[in-house]
């Protein structure tokens, strides 16, 4: 555990004892004075008489952001900053907290709900009524669990104006979230995905005549689809202020026909390969050009659910304080309760309705976009909001968890025992969020004006040993992802500022690049990231709720997969005796092998007529914000690594040109669209059900694929051996086969682990992307505050704001900072 800094304690004592000791005499020696940490009321042990009651002590948590959220509407929020802001004003149905910090054990704690139960067996009729997707060969009467969840609401929960919250509020809020006239951004969390509410999609699209769907959802081949009727290609531009535009901002059609045989071929001769080249030449609209882009061919599908009402949605009121949630597909209890059922879609009806307005064809609500448009039912409420400058939050005195401490203040206690005791929570009385740059934040932190600061990579070495440094690992794996399409790369070399970027079409070239990277050194230029050699990092668990040690990365199949990727052998007569020895030796770096592969890549590219000598220059889509010194250093190292592998191979020298401020289109869109050959970014999430991880790489129906220019996972097949039997499916089918009604959704953990590990191995070997590092958030906190625990846990972090404690109140802190002449040392 971290130590309280004794030197500071002594300095604080020196700064504060004069006023304390002034009224003391030797006659009181041995008699202690007790101070209530919340109210500041003192009682003298020598006389038994209370001193004058003072104002409650203030404990302000002062933090910063580089930019403030401007939308924390539960139905439309978009960014992580939006998400963080909205959580201040909400109380979830259920959350997790510390049970035993030393053992890393967590526990569920019900808040806005008093219980959540799986009642499927008693309500099988709901499965039919709401059109649930059942496992093949099963009827509703066969299903006993996983679909219908009953939520008992906490009747003490109310809005900040004192209005009680009931089942009607939640049903109204769900209806508004999915409202087909509003098309809310966050509706997809409830009509799509692993935990979708039954009937949610039907209602959301109930006023849509139809929609475009991938041709592969109906037809076995593009030829078959064209023979059946008109097929269009999605140009993958975006909507601008003046209509639909391409990646360069030029007017473009969103969809164009590919029924014309000349447009279907690359050279106008009507050959069998679809490239989109003819469409590009004819329409001038920028979209993917090259073989493999038939995945963007779409067909029109009429909507069979036109006119559907909210009655088709499986979310309904049972009584004033009970609702039921019917899932579209079966979901294990813990995954549903902790993954979806938080109730955070709740909005305050009078204000939400008041703020509605017509916006084109849609209705929008400006709810939760300012202090005046926000109604809290959480711990905090707005005191003030200055756009682009400052947010001040204060306690919401109507929050159900507060009680009067009897001394002029509010106090709250944990609803469950934490490390065997009921503990005080939410000691913080105010939160101040200032807008400032990271550099300005550093100076403010060291002057005692901030309680939290995120150090840059350059600062980490200075503060790495500080007791106040906290590192939080994340599921996100940073990687380089590529556009490997030859035609697209040629176009980039011709008109997008690249030179010889076509070399990245070669698999051996990309593999050599990966092996050339010294990840252990490279992460030294990041803000505390951890080297990554695989797609999934150590935070993925396959059976967490039943076995908190069930790390996918530590499973035998996962370790074998990565040993296979890097060619590390083990066993009798091998370099390593055991699988663990072999796996632990992997660092992703093998310059000798990289140089060998690069020489082979050179020959293949020259023989194919794709490389004729000369230097290589590649523009890299690096970040959404402006490039900073860390980004420049990171790209510079990658350039050095790759040049080391290129040396002596026959290739010329390579230079990377990193680009920032990439927002519209984003780097994730611009790379597959053919604007850049390389992008840098991360995927993460789904930590407690890793079996769906590869949907983000393989399922274009689920999300836009960052590697879309490289392949068509909807048609490309993969053969795996499952329980001793070979099985062949498309990559898209494999990515969804272990969820919902998928082919292996009910398989045992051993089978699922093997499938996932095999997919990970085979995907990495394509080198359409390769991992660099796992993200870690490094934070310095001030001497003013303490986190509850020093050991990070995926379920409760370091204990969060709720269990944060203070070494100083605001007045004491000001005195201490003054005693240090406004300059604090954390080294």
């Amino acid at each position: 555990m971290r130590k309280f800094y004794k030197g500071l304690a002594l300095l604080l004592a020196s700064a504060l004892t004069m006023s304390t000791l002034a009224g003391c005499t030797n006659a009181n020696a041995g008699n202690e004075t007790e101070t209530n940490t919340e109210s500041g009321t003192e009682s003298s042990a020598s006389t038994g008489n209370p001193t004058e009651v003072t104002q409650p002590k203030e404990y302000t948590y002062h933090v910063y952001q580089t930019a403030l959220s401007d939308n924390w509407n539960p139905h439309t929020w978009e960014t992580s900053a939006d998400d963080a802001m909205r959580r201040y004003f909400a109380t979830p149905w259920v959350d997790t907290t510390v049970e035993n910090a030393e053992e890393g054990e967590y526990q569920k704690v019900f808040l806005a709900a008093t219980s959540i139960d799986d009642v499927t067996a008693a309500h099988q009729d709901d499965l039919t009524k709401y059109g649930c997707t059942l496992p093949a060969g099963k009827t509703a009467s066969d299903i006993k669990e996983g679909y219908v969840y009953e939520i008992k609401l906490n009747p003490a929960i109310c809005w900040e104006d004192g209005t009680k919250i009931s089942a009607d509020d939640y049903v109204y809020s769900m209806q508004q979230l999915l409202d087909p006239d509003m098309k809310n951004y966050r509706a997809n969390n409830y009509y799509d995905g692993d935990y979708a509410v039954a009937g949610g999609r039907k209602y959301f699209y109930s006023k849509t005549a139809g929609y475009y769907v991938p041709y592969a959802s109906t037809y076995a081949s593009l030829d078959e689809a064209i023979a059946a009727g008109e097929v269009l290609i999605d140009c993958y531009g975006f909507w601008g202020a003046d209509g639909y535009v391409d990646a360069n901002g030029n007017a473009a059609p969103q969809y164009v026909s590919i029924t014309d045989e000349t447009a279907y071929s690359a050279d106008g001769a009507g050959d069998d390969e679809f490239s989109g080249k003819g469409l590009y030449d004819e329409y001038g609209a920028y979209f993917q050009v090259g073989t493999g882009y038939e995945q963007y061919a779409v067909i029109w599908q009429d909507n069979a659910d036109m006119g559907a009402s909210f009655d088709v949605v499986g979310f309904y009121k049972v009584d004033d304080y009970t609702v039921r949630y019917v899932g579209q597909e079966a979901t294990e209890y813990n995954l549903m309760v902790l993954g979806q059922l938080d109730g955070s879609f709740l909005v305050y009806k009078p204000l939400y309705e008041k703020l509605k307005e017509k916006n084109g064809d849609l209705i929008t609500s400006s709810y939760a976009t300012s202090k005046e448009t926000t109604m809290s039912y959480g711990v905090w409420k707005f005191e003030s909001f200055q756009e682009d400058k400052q947010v001040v939050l204060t306690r919401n005195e109507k929050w159900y968890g507060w009680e009067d401490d009897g001394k002029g203040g509010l106090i709250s206690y944990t609803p469950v025992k934490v490390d065997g005791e009921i503990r005080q929570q939410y000691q913080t009385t105010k939160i101040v969020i200032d807008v400032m740059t990271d550099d300005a934040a550093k100076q403010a932190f060291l002057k005692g004006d901030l309680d939290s600061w995120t150090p840059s990579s350059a600062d980490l070495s200075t503060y790495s040993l500080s007791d106040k440094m906290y590192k939080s690992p994340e599921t996100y794996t940073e990687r380089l992802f590529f556009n490997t399409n030859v035609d697209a790369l040629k176009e980039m070399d011709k008109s997008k500022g690249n030179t010889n970027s076509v070399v990245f079409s070669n698999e051996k070239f990309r593999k050599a690049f990966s092996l050339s990277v010294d990840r252990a050194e490279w992460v030294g230029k990041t803000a505390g990231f951890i080297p990554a050699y695989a797609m999934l990092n150590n935070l993925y668990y396959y059976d967490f709720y039943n076995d908190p040690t069930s790390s996918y990365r530590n499973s035998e199949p996962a370790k074998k997969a990565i040993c296979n990727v890097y060619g590390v052998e083990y066993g009798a007569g091998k370099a390593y005796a055991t699988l663990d020895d072999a796996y632990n030796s992997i660092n992703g770096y093998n310059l000798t092998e990289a140089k060998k592969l690069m020489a082979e890549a050179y020959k293949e590219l020259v023989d194919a007529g794709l490389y004729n000598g000369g230097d290589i220059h590649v523009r890299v889509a690096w970040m959404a914000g402006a490039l900073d010194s860390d980004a420049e250093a990171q790209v510079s190292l990658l350039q050095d690594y790759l040049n080391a592998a290129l040396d002596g191979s026959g290739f010329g020298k390579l230079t990377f040109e990193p680009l920032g401020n990439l927002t519209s289109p984003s780097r994730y869109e611009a790379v597959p669209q053919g604007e850049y050959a390389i992008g840098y970014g991360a995927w993460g999430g789904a930590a407690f059900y890793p079996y769906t991880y590869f949907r983000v790489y393989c399922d274009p129906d689920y999300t836009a694929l960052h590697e879309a220019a490289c392949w068509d996972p909807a048609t490309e097949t993969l053969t795996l051996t499952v329980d001793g039997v070979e099985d062949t499916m498309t990559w898209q089918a494999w990515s969804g086969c272990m969820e919902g009604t998928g082919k292996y959704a009910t398989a045992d953990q051993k089978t699922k682990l093997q499938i996932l590990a095999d997919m990970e191995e085979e995907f990495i070997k394509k080198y359409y992307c390769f991992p660099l590092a796992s993200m870690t958030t490094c934070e310095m906190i001030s001497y003013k505050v303490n986190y509850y625990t020093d050991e990070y846990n995926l379920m409760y972090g370091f204990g969060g704001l709720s269990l944060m404690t203070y070494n100083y109140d605001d007045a004491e802190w000001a005195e201490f900072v003054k005693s240090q002449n406004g300059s604090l040392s954390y080294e």
Side-chain angles (χ1 to χ4, degrees), residues 432-549:
V432 177
I433 307 171
D434 280 323
V435 175
M436 59 180 69
T437 65
D438 289 328
D439 287 341
K442 175 183 177 180
Q443 300 307 314
F445 180 78
L446 296 177
K447 291 194 298 182
D449 293 337
L450 285 180
D451 297 311
S452 174
W453 163 57
T454 302
S456 68
S457 60
D459 291 312
L460 285 180
S461 59
T462 302
Y463 299 102
S464 61
L465 299 180
S466 172
D467 279 346
K468 306 304 285 185
M469 171 72 78
Y470 286 80
K471 297 182 179 181
S472 307
E474 300 183 25
T475 60
Y476 290 88
T477 297
E478 294 283 5
R479 72 204 197 290
L480 294 181
F481 57 98
F482 300 94
N483 183 322
T484 65
N485 184 269
V486 171
D487 290 333
L489 291 167
K490 285 181 178 179
E491 186 63 35
M492 289 181 231
D493 289 340
K494 177 182 177 182
S495 64
K496 301 294 180 181
N498 287 357
T499 303
N500 284 323
S501 64
V502 73
V503 297
F504 283 93
S505 66
N506 186 276
E507 180 182 303
K508 290 180 178 177
F509 188 98
R510 300 191 305 275
K511 181 178 180 180
F513 186 8
S514 176
L515 292 175
S516 75
V517 177
D518 184 344
R519 291 162 173 82
E521 179 185 43
W522 187 81
V523 296
K525 300 299 182 181
T526 70
F529 291 2
I530 300 170
Y533 322 114
M535 303 306 295
L536 291 87
N537 65 21
N538 293 326
L539 292 183
Y540 286 88
Y541 295 85
Y542 57 87
D543 193 23
F544 183 86
Y545 301 113
N546 297 310
D547 178 9
T549 68

Side-chain angles (χ1 to χ4, degrees), residues 261-398:
E261 188 175 358
T262 59
Y264 181 50
S265 67
D267 55 11
D271 56 31
D272 293 333
E273 276 195 344
F274 172 74
S275 72
K277 180 68 165 59
L279 295 174
Y280 180 85
D281 292 341
E282 180 178 353
Y283 290 95
Y286 191 85
F287 57 93
Q288 292 86 345
V289 178
T291 57
Y293 293 129
E294 59 268 25
Q295 65 175 296
Y296 299 106
V298 295
I299 58 175
W300 177 261
Q301 179 174 295
D302 288 331
N303 183 9
D305 300 308
M306 275 289 288
S309 70
F310 188 68
D311 291 339
V312 304
V313 178
F315 185 73
Y316 60 92
K317 172 184 176 180
V318 177
D319 58 41
D320 284 348
Y321 291 101
T322 307
V323 293
R324 290 198 190 114
Y325 186 100
V326 185
Q328 185 66 51
E329 298 181 347
T331 305
E332 192 270 335
Y333 176 83
N334 283 307
L335 289 173
M336 178 60 87
V337 171
L338 297 179
Q340 178 76 332
L341 296 181
D342 65 356
S344 63
F345 55 85
L346 185 65
V347 294
Y348 184 58
K349 182 177 180 178
L351 193 55
Y352 195 87
E353 290 291 332
K354 177 183 177 182
L355 296 168
K356 281 185 177 180
E357 62 180 4
K358 188 78 171 176
N359 191 348
D361 294 332
L362 297 176
I363 294 173
T364 60
S365 177
S366 57
Y367 183 82
T369 55
S370 68
K371 176 181 182 294
E372 294 72 25
T373 60
T374 301
M375 182 66 73
S376 174
Y377 65 106
V379 178
W380 311 99
K381 67 178 182 179
F382 273 119
E383 180 176 290
S384 63
F385 178 82
Q386 299 179 64
E387 188 174 356
D388 298 326
K389 186 176 182 181
Q390 186 187 71
V391 168
V392 179
L393 306 175
T394 190
R395 288 171 167 177
N396 171 17
E397 64 275 6
K398 297 296 184 180

Side-chain angles (χ1 to χ4, degrees), residues 595-808:
K595 292 175 78 69
K596 175 177 175 292
L597 287 168
M598 201 59 81
E600 295 173 6
Y602 173 79
K603 185 176 186 307
E604 291 177 2
L605 286 162
V606 170
D607 289 348
L610 295 175
Y611 179 72
N612 297 310
D615 290 342
I616 304 166
H617 179 83
V618 182
R619 300 163 74 240
V620 182
W622 194 258
M623 60 195 300
L627 291 175
D628 54 24
S629 58
D630 283 358
E632 297 280 3
Q634 292 159 16
V635 176
S636 178
L637 266 183
L638 291 174
Q639 178 178 293
D640 291 345
Y641 295 146
L642 187 47
N643 275 315
L646 290 170
D647 186 41
S649 66
F651 289 110
K653 187 175 181 179
L654 174 137
T655 55
F656 282 140
E657 179 187 348
L659 289 102
N661 293 319
L662 304 176
T663 56
S664 185
S666 71
R667 59 197 187 279
Y668 301 114
E669 297 166 325
V671 170
Q673 286 173 357
E675 188 71 16
Y676 305 100
I678 306 174
Y680 172 67
W683 268 124
F688 302 134
Y689 199 76
Y691 302 128
T692 62
Y693 179 87
F694 278 98
R695 289 189 69 184
V696 297
Y697 292 100
C698 305
D699 188 352
D701 295 338
Y702 180 70
T703 189
L705 308 182
H706 303 169
E707 295 79 15
C710 304
W711 67 326
D712 181 6
T715 58
E716 184 174 327
T717 60
L718 172 68
T719 298
L720 300 178
T721 300
V722 182
D723 296 332
V725 179
E726 285 193 351
D727 193 358
T728 300
M729 294 192 287
T730 65
W731 277 86
Q732 182 181 23
W734 279 114
S735 72
C737 74
M738 293 179 282
E739 66 171 335
T741 57
K743 186 173 184 178
Y744 295 104
T746 60
D748 58 28
Q749 297 288 5
K750 180 180 178 181
T751 299
K752 290 180 177 179
L753 282 171
Q754 192 62 60
I755 292 173
L756 178 58
D758 287 345
M759 288 189 69
E760 182 178 29
E761 175 183 342
E762 295 303 318
F763 182 76
I764 293 175
K765 286 179 176 179
K766 289 179 174 294
Y767 292 96
Y768 294 153
C769 67
F770 64 75
L772 287 170
S774 294
M775 291 177 64
T776 299
T777 299
C778 294
E779 177 192 20
M780 293 286 292
I781 63 172
S782 74
Y783 294 121
K784 183 181 181 182
V785 296
N786 295 319
Y787 279 132
Y788 179 78
T789 177
D790 302 330
E791 300 300 324
Y792 178 83
N793 186 287
L794 192 58
M795 298 302 287
Y796 52 74
F798 298 107
L801 189 60
S802 63
L803 295 177
M804 177 177 282
T805 58
Y806 284 73
N807 298 315
Y808 313 86

Side-chain angles (χ1 to χ4, degrees), residues 7-83:
L8 288 179
L10 293 172
L11 289 168
L12 175 63
S14 299
L16 300 179
T17 49
M18 293 306 293
S19 60
T20 303
L21 296 177
C24 297
T25 67
N26 288 338
N28 289 332
N31 294 326
E32 297 179 350
T33 298
E34 298 177 351
T35 303
N36 181 285
T37 58
E38 182 66 26
S39 69
T41 303
E42 297 180 347
S43 61
S44 170
S46 60
T47 64
N49 297 321
T51 60
E52 180 181 355
V53 176
T54 61
Q55 290 296 316
K57 289 189 175 183
E58 293 293 326
Y59 298 94
T60 301
Y61 187 51
H62 203 149
V63 295
Y64 80 101
Q65 293 177 189
T66 55
L68 291 178
S69 165
D70 59 4
N71 174 31
W72 45 95
N73 184 330
H75 298 173
T76 59
W77 67 272
E78 297 186 23
T79 69
S80 58
D82 298 340
D83 187 29

